[in-house]
């Protein structure tokens, strides 16, 4: 069977290795990958930890990509060989990867592969969190915790697109915080500053925001309750601040807050397909017109993928880090 270069987690860590090229089955599409973007979950799996059901020895790393359709499984629909596409799924750091036909988008003609590779995870994660689960409505106020990440930047843009009157973003890094207003924020706060809740309350006439999309959790969990209005909503999409923390249950009850957790790790393929379809139906025009886009912080060659991860782990970037194949 033909081999291909892939970034694989092995007994000695992650390395570029030669592995068998996959073959599409059922509704799968074989993708010739041209660019892949790094995500925080990749850094976890690169250290040998599981991300949901994925991870461990022999895992080809990476979870979002852009490229061309190389071959179709017998039941794959909606694309043809040669189509420029982008999507999410496992094994993105490889010359070829497999994708379910419902877990990809046609790449807009006005985007190159590097730009297209930055979008699938952020679009699907944050359209689901802000719109489908968060239920944002025109005129409401939204706080994005961890707003300087790629998905955080996308969340602010989606909130703005859907008519939010006040968009607040948080970042603990002063340089990145100063740039949040360039990407949709009306107000940028430092969630490591004990006074950040007061800033949010001041900006909302003492009421708190209608919606918090929280990528941090951990130590800000109870502060989020204080920054959310009565009968507001918190959508928990991450745990960058830790998986365990003190939680003020009395405040949660008193403010009657709807607190919902979301993740792709436990979703069925049918649920994931539905999320992709909702993005297509609701905001795809804004993707094609470049109203929804992400800055690229730096592009690395595939041979330099370890440097790309070092750049991410230095935690000074704003926007996406991309590797090209």
């Amino acid at each position: 069977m033909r081999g291909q270069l892939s970034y694989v987690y092995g007994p000695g860590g992650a390395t570029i290795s030669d592995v068998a090229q996959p073959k599409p089955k059922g509704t799968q599409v074989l993708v010739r990958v041209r660019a892949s973007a790094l995500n925080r979950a990749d850094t976890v799996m690169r250290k040998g930890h599981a991300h949901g059901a994925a991870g461990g020895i022999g895992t080809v790393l990476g979870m979002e990509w852009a490229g061309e359709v190389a071959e179709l499984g017998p039941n794959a629909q909606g694309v043809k060989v040669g189509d420029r596409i982008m999507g999410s799924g496992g094994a993105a750091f490889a010359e070829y990867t497999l994708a379910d036909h419902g877990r990809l988008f046609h790449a807009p003609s006005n985007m190159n592969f590097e730009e297209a590779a930055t979008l699938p995870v952020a679009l699907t994660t944050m359209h689901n969190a802000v719109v489908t689960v968060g239920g944002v409505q025109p005129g409401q106020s939204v706080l994005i915790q961890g707003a300087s990440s790629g998905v955080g930047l996308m969340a602010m843009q989606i909130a703005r697109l859907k008519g939010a009157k006040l968009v607040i973003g948080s970042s603990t890094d002063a340089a990145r915080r100063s740039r949040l207003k360039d990407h949709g924020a009306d107000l940028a706060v430092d969630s490591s500053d004990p006074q950040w809740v007061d800033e949010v309350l001041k900006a909302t006439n003492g009421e708190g925001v209608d919606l918090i999309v929280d990528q941090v959790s951990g130590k800000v969990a109870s502060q989020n309750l204080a920054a959310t209005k009565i009968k507001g909503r918190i959508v928990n999409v991450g745990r960058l601040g830790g998986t365990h923390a003190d939680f003020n249950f009395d405040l949660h009850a008193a403010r009657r807050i709807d607190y919902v957790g979301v993740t792709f790790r436990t979703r069925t393929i049918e649920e994931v397909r539905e999320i992709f379809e909702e993005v297509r139906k609701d905001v795809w025009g804004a993707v094609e017109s470049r109203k929804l886009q992400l800055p690229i912080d730096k592009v690395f060659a595939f041979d330099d993928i370890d440097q790309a991860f070092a750049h991410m782990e230095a935690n000074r970037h704003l926007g996406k880090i991309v590797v090209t194949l």
Side-chain angles (χ1 to χ4, degrees):
M1 184 175 289
R2 182 189 300 176
Q4 64 168 15
L5 293 178
S6 306
Y7 193 55
V8 184
Y9 180 75
T15 59
I16 295 176
S17 307
D18 190 63
V19 303
Q21 182 178 305
K23 181 77 173 174
K25 301 175 182 178
T27 59
Q28 292 176 329
V29 173
L30 181 68
V31 183
R32 172 61 175 100
V33 178
R34 300 297 181 182
S36 301
L38 275 64
N39 288 276
R40 289 291 177 190
D42 298 321
T43 65
V44 173
M45 294 173 67
R46 182 173 175 263
K47 296 174 181 175
H49 303 296
H51 181 68
I57 299 294
T59 299
V60 179
L61 303 176
M63 54 193 300
E64 70 178 330
W65 45 264
E68 299 146 332
V69 176
E71 187 180 343
L72 299 176
N75 304 119
Q77 299 177 358
V79 291
K80 63 182 185 300
V81 172
D83 281 357
R84 297 172 72 256
I85 55 173
M86 58 196 199
S88 68
F93 297 140
E95 293 181 281
Y96 290 85
T97 191
L98 296 174
D100 181 79
H101 67 178
R103 194 169 183 168
L104 51 83
F105 301 115
H106 284 91
S109 59
N110 59 356
M111 287 183 192
N112 60 36
F113 287 123
E114 290 90 341
E115 292 166 327
T118 68
L119 294 175
V121 167
L123 279 172
T124 52
T125 299
M126 286 307 181
H127 184 270
N128 178 258
V130 175
V131 180
T132 305
V133 178
V136 69
Q137 297 295 318
Q140 290 189 335
S141 52
V142 179
L143 166 61
I144 308 300
Q145 288 280 24
S148 64
S149 66
V151 284
L153 296 173
M154 180 59 70
M156 292 193 300
Q157 293 177 53
I158 290 174
R160 178 71 67 206
L161 181 71
K162 301 305 288 186
K165 71 174 181 181
L166 176 66
V167 177
I168 304 171
S170 83
S171 174
T172 58
D173 182 271
R176 286 182 293 195
R177 192 165 60 249
S178 70
R179 297 174 61 189
L180 293 182
K181 292 184 180 180
D182 297 332
H183 299 281
D186 298 297
L187 172 66
V189 299
D190 178 0
S191 60
S192 67
D193 180 349
Q195 304 303 312
W196 76 262
V197 174
D198 294 333
E199 291 183 64
V200 171
L201 292 176
K202 181 179 178 181
T204 55
N205 299 315
E207 291 187 339
V209 294
D210 293 282
L211 169 66
I212 293 180
V213 177
D214 181 18
Q215 298 187 92
V216 178
S217 303
K219 64 181 181 180
V220 303
S222 288
Q223 290 175 309
N224 282 341
L225 298 173
T228 305
K229 69 167 46 176
I230 292 174
K231 298 180 71 175
R233 300 173 305 287
I234 298 174
V235 180
N236 175 22
V237 299
R239 60 207 188 283
L240 295 177
T243 57
H244 296 78
D246 190 53
F247 189 86
N248 189 331
F249 291 98
D250 186 61
L251 185 57
H252 179 219
R255 298 187 77 79
R256 291 178 283 160
I257 290 169
D258 199 4
Y259 192 105
V260 186
V262 296
T263 181
F264 272 77
R265 284 170 286 159
T266 53
R267 285 184 169 126
T268 65
I269 188 60
E270 290 79 15
E271 289 174 314
V272 174
R273 288 171 180 167
E274 184 177 351
I275 289 169
F276 271 71
E277 185 58 28
E278 286 299 317
V279 171
R280 287 189 200 93
K281 289 191 301 187
D282 190 39
V283 298
W284 198 249
V287 176
E288 293 180 322
S289 68
R290 308 298 289 263
K291 286 183 180 178
L292 296 178
Q293 61 179 324
L294 291 176
I296 294 177
D297 186 84
K298 197 166 184 179
V299 178
F300 292 84
F302 187 58
D303 287 346
D304 298 325
I305 191 168
D306 286 326
Q307 295 178 36
F309 274 98
H311 186 60
M312 172 169 268
E313 288 168 359
N315 208 29
R316 289 291 178 265
H317 62 288
L318 182 80
K320 298 290 283 190
I321 300 167
V322 177
V323 294
T324 55
L325 292 92

